[in-house]
PDB file of all heavy atoms in Angstrom:
ATOM      1  N   GLY A 143       3.768  25.637   2.100  1.00  0.00           N
ATOM      2  CA  GLY A 143       4.570  24.415   1.903  1.00  0.00           C
ATOM      3  C   GLY A 143       6.057  24.711   1.774  1.00  0.00           C
ATOM      4  O   GLY A 143       6.445  25.791   1.322  1.00  0.00           O
ATOM      5  N   ASN A 144       6.864  23.745   2.182  1.00  0.00           N
ATOM      6  CA  ASN A 144       8.316  23.899   2.110  1.00  0.00           C
ATOM      7  C   ASN A 144       8.906  23.296   0.838  1.00  0.00           C
ATOM      8  O   ASN A 144      10.090  23.424   0.588  1.00  0.00           O
ATOM      9  CB  ASN A 144       8.982  23.194   3.297  1.00  0.00           C
ATOM     10  CG  ASN A 144       8.677  23.867   4.620  1.00  0.00           C
ATOM     11  OD1 ASN A 144       8.469  25.062   4.650  1.00  0.00           O
ATOM     12  ND2 ASN A 144       8.641  23.099   5.683  1.00  0.00           N
ATOM     13  N   VAL A 145       8.096  22.587   0.058  1.00  0.00           N
ATOM     14  CA  VAL A 145       8.659  21.816  -1.049  1.00  0.00           C
ATOM     15  C   VAL A 145       8.084  22.185  -2.417  1.00  0.00           C
ATOM     16  O   VAL A 145       8.816  22.622  -3.309  1.00  0.00           O
ATOM     17  CB  VAL A 145       8.503  20.287  -0.763  1.00  0.00           C
ATOM     18  CG1 VAL A 145       8.887  19.486  -1.978  1.00  0.00           C
ATOM     19  CG2 VAL A 145       9.369  19.867   0.433  1.00  0.00           C
ATOM     20  N   ASN A 146       6.781  22.045  -2.596  1.00  0.00           N
ATOM     21  CA  ASN A 146       6.173  22.333  -3.908  1.00  0.00           C
ATOM     22  C   ASN A 146       5.736  23.795  -4.020  1.00  0.00           C
ATOM     23  O   ASN A 146       5.680  24.504  -3.024  1.00  0.00           O
ATOM     24  CB  ASN A 146       4.956  21.436  -4.125  1.00  0.00           C
ATOM     25  CG  ASN A 146       5.331  19.972  -4.191  1.00  0.00           C
ATOM     26  OD1 ASN A 146       6.397  19.640  -4.713  1.00  0.00           O
ATOM     27  ND2 ASN A 146       4.493  19.116  -3.670  1.00  0.00           N
ATOM     28  N   PHE A 172      10.940  15.325  -6.042  1.00  0.00           N
ATOM     29  CA  PHE A 172      10.181  14.222  -6.647  1.00  0.00           C
ATOM     30  C   PHE A 172      10.630  14.038  -8.093  1.00  0.00           C
ATOM     31  O   PHE A 172      10.019  14.601  -9.018  1.00  0.00           O
ATOM     32  CB  PHE A 172       8.681  14.533  -6.609  1.00  0.00           C
ATOM     33  CG  PHE A 172       8.130  14.722  -5.229  1.00  0.00           C
ATOM     34  CD1 PHE A 172       7.700  15.975  -4.795  1.00  0.00           C
ATOM     35  CD2 PHE A 172       7.996  13.664  -4.347  1.00  0.00           C
ATOM     36  CE1 PHE A 172       7.164  16.161  -3.527  1.00  0.00           C
ATOM     37  CE2 PHE A 172       7.467  13.836  -3.075  1.00  0.00           C
ATOM     38  CZ  PHE A 172       7.047  15.079  -2.674  1.00  0.00           C
ATOM     39  N   PHE A 274      12.287   7.979   2.372  1.00  0.00           N
ATOM     40  CA  PHE A 274      11.537   8.978   3.134  1.00  0.00           C
ATOM     41  C   PHE A 274      11.185   8.412   4.511  1.00  0.00           C
ATOM     42  O   PHE A 274      10.594   7.331   4.601  1.00  0.00           O
ATOM     43  CB  PHE A 274      10.274   9.328   2.343  1.00  0.00           C
ATOM     44  CG  PHE A 274       9.508  10.506   2.871  1.00  0.00           C
ATOM     45  CD1 PHE A 274      10.114  11.724   3.094  1.00  0.00           C
ATOM     46  CD2 PHE A 274       8.136  10.399   3.117  1.00  0.00           C
ATOM     47  CE1 PHE A 274       9.407  12.812   3.564  1.00  0.00           C
ATOM     48  CE2 PHE A 274       7.409  11.489   3.578  1.00  0.00           C
ATOM     49  CZ  PHE A 274       8.055  12.688   3.806  1.00  0.00           C
ATOM     50  N   HIS A 332       0.199   8.388   4.902  1.00  0.00           N
ATOM     51  CA  HIS A 332       0.065   9.733   4.342  1.00  0.00           C
ATOM     52  C   HIS A 332       1.449  10.334   4.108  1.00  0.00           C
ATOM     53  O   HIS A 332       1.731  10.936   3.085  1.00  0.00           O
ATOM     54  CB  HIS A 332      -0.740  10.613   5.314  1.00  0.00           C
ATOM     55  CG  HIS A 332      -0.885  12.019   4.833  1.00  0.00           C
ATOM     56  ND1 HIS A 332       0.103  12.973   5.010  1.00  0.00           N
ATOM     57  CD2 HIS A 332      -1.884  12.646   4.169  1.00  0.00           C
ATOM     58  CE1 HIS A 332      -0.280  14.118   4.472  1.00  0.00           C
ATOM     59  NE2 HIS A 332      -1.489  13.956   3.952  1.00  0.00           N
ATOM     60  N   GLY A 333       2.339  10.173   5.088  1.00  0.00           N
ATOM     61  CA  GLY A 333       3.718  10.623   4.932  1.00  0.00           C
ATOM     62  C   GLY A 333       4.006  12.017   5.473  1.00  0.00           C
ATOM     63  O   GLY A 333       5.143  12.311   5.820  1.00  0.00           O
ATOM     64  N   ASP A 334       2.997  12.870   5.559  1.00  0.00           N
ATOM     65  CA  ASP A 334       3.252  14.260   5.974  1.00  0.00           C
ATOM     66  C   ASP A 334       2.057  14.840   6.729  1.00  0.00           C
ATOM     67  O   ASP A 334       1.571  15.921   6.393  1.00  0.00           O
ATOM     68  CB  ASP A 334       3.543  15.069   4.691  1.00  0.00           C
ATOM     69  CG  ASP A 334       4.105  16.446   4.988  1.00  0.00           C
ATOM     70  OD1 ASP A 334       4.446  16.739   6.156  1.00  0.00           O
ATOM     71  OD2 ASP A 334       4.206  17.252   4.035  1.00  0.00           O
ATOM     72  N   PRO A 335       1.564  14.116   7.760  1.00  0.00           N
ATOM     73  CA  PRO A 335       0.336  14.599   8.425  1.00  0.00           C
ATOM     74  C   PRO A 335       0.621  15.656   9.478  1.00  0.00           C
ATOM     75  O   PRO A 335       0.167  15.572  10.609  1.00  0.00           O
ATOM     76  CB  PRO A 335      -0.254  13.321   9.040  1.00  0.00           C
ATOM     77  CG  PRO A 335       0.947  12.499   9.360  1.00  0.00           C
ATOM     78  CD  PRO A 335       2.013  12.842   8.331  1.00  0.00           C
ATOM     79  N   LYS A 336       1.417  16.673   9.118  1.00  0.00           N
ATOM     80  CA  LYS A 336       1.626  17.770  10.071  1.00  0.00           C
ATOM     81  C   LYS A 336       0.335  18.579  10.170  1.00  0.00           C
ATOM     82  O   LYS A 336      -0.540  18.483   9.283  1.00  0.00           O
ATOM     83  CB  LYS A 336       2.811  18.621   9.636  1.00  0.00           C
ATOM     84  CG  LYS A 336       2.687  19.287   8.296  1.00  0.00           C
ATOM     85  CD  LYS A 336       3.951  20.100   8.035  1.00  0.00           C
ATOM     86  CE  LYS A 336       3.816  20.954   6.787  1.00  0.00           C
ATOM     87  NZ  LYS A 336       5.037  21.701   6.521  1.00  0.00           N
ATOM     88  N   ASN A 339      -1.547  20.270   7.377  1.00  0.00           N
ATOM     89  CA  ASN A 339      -2.154  19.441   6.326  1.00  0.00           C
ATOM     90  C   ASN A 339      -3.480  18.814   6.750  1.00  0.00           C
ATOM     91  O   ASN A 339      -4.032  17.980   6.045  1.00  0.00           O
ATOM     92  CB  ASN A 339      -1.177  18.348   5.886  1.00  0.00           C
ATOM     93  CG  ASN A 339      -0.045  18.913   5.039  1.00  0.00           C
ATOM     94  OD1 ASN A 339      -0.185  19.995   4.469  1.00  0.00           O
ATOM     95  ND2 ASN A 339       1.070  18.207   4.962  1.00  0.00           N
ATOM     96  N   ILE A 353      -4.831  16.864   3.505  1.00  0.00           N
ATOM     97  CA  ILE A 353      -4.369  17.274   2.179  1.00  0.00           C
ATOM     98  C   ILE A 353      -2.875  16.997   2.044  1.00  0.00           C
ATOM     99  O   ILE A 353      -2.276  16.446   2.957  1.00  0.00           O
ATOM    100  CB  ILE A 353      -4.688  18.762   1.902  1.00  0.00           C
ATOM    101  CG1 ILE A 353      -4.139  19.633   3.033  1.00  0.00           C
ATOM    102  CG2 ILE A 353      -6.181  18.941   1.736  1.00  0.00           C
ATOM    103  CD1 ILE A 353      -4.101  21.113   2.704  1.00  0.00           C
ATOM    104  N   ASP A 354      -2.289  17.416   0.931  1.00  0.00           N
ATOM    105  CA  ASP A 354      -0.867  17.199   0.638  1.00  0.00           C
ATOM    106  C   ASP A 354      -0.601  15.690   0.549  1.00  0.00           C
ATOM    107  O   ASP A 354       0.103  15.115   1.388  1.00  0.00           O
ATOM    108  CB  ASP A 354      -0.005  17.856   1.722  1.00  0.00           C
ATOM    109  CG  ASP A 354       1.448  17.903   1.331  1.00  0.00           C
ATOM    110  OD1 ASP A 354       1.763  17.499   0.207  1.00  0.00           O
ATOM    111  OD2 ASP A 354       2.276  18.304   2.161  1.00  0.00           O
ATOM    112  N   LEU A 355      -1.147  15.080  -0.486  1.00  0.00           N
ATOM    113  CA  LEU A 355      -1.141  13.624  -0.596  1.00  0.00           C
ATOM    114  C   LEU A 355       0.039  13.092  -1.407  1.00  0.00           C
ATOM    115  O   LEU A 355       0.052  11.939  -1.812  1.00  0.00           O
ATOM    116  CB  LEU A 355      -2.472  13.165  -1.217  1.00  0.00           C
ATOM    117  CG  LEU A 355      -3.713  13.650  -0.440  1.00  0.00           C
ATOM    118  CD1 LEU A 355      -4.988  13.400  -1.253  1.00  0.00           C
ATOM    119  CD2 LEU A 355      -3.815  12.944   0.904  1.00  0.00           C
ATOM    120  N   ASP A 356       1.044  13.946  -1.632  1.00  0.00           N
ATOM    121  CA  ASP A 356       2.161  13.539  -2.487  1.00  0.00           C
ATOM    122  C   ASP A 356       3.037  12.460  -1.882  1.00  0.00           C
ATOM    123  O   ASP A 356       3.798  11.814  -2.588  1.00  0.00           O
ATOM    124  CB  ASP A 356       3.045  14.742  -2.812  1.00  0.00           C
ATOM    125  CG  ASP A 356       2.244  15.782  -3.548  1.00  0.00           C
ATOM    126  OD1 ASP A 356       1.392  15.383  -4.356  1.00  0.00           O
ATOM    127  OD2 ASP A 356       2.464  16.967  -3.295  1.00  0.00           O
ATOM    128  N   THR A 357       2.948  12.312  -0.578  1.00  0.00           N
ATOM    129  CA  THR A 357       3.797  11.306   0.056  1.00  0.00           C
ATOM    130  C   THR A 357       2.967  10.094   0.477  1.00  0.00           C
ATOM    131  O   THR A 357       3.424   9.295   1.301  1.00  0.00           O
ATOM    132  CB  THR A 357       4.552  11.902   1.260  1.00  0.00           C
ATOM    133  OG1 THR A 357       3.632  12.665   2.028  1.00  0.00           O
ATOM    134  CG2 THR A 357       5.677  12.804   0.790  1.00  0.00           C
TER     135      THR A 357
HETATM  136 MG1  LIG B1940       4.238  17.936   2.308  1.00  0.00          MG
END
Side-chain angles (χ1 to χ4, degrees):
N144 292 331
V145 171
N146 296 325
F172 300 111
F274 190 53
H332 178 278
D334 192 9
K336 61 180 188 182
N339 286 339
I353 53 166
D354 191 5
L355 304 169
D356 299 324
T357 46

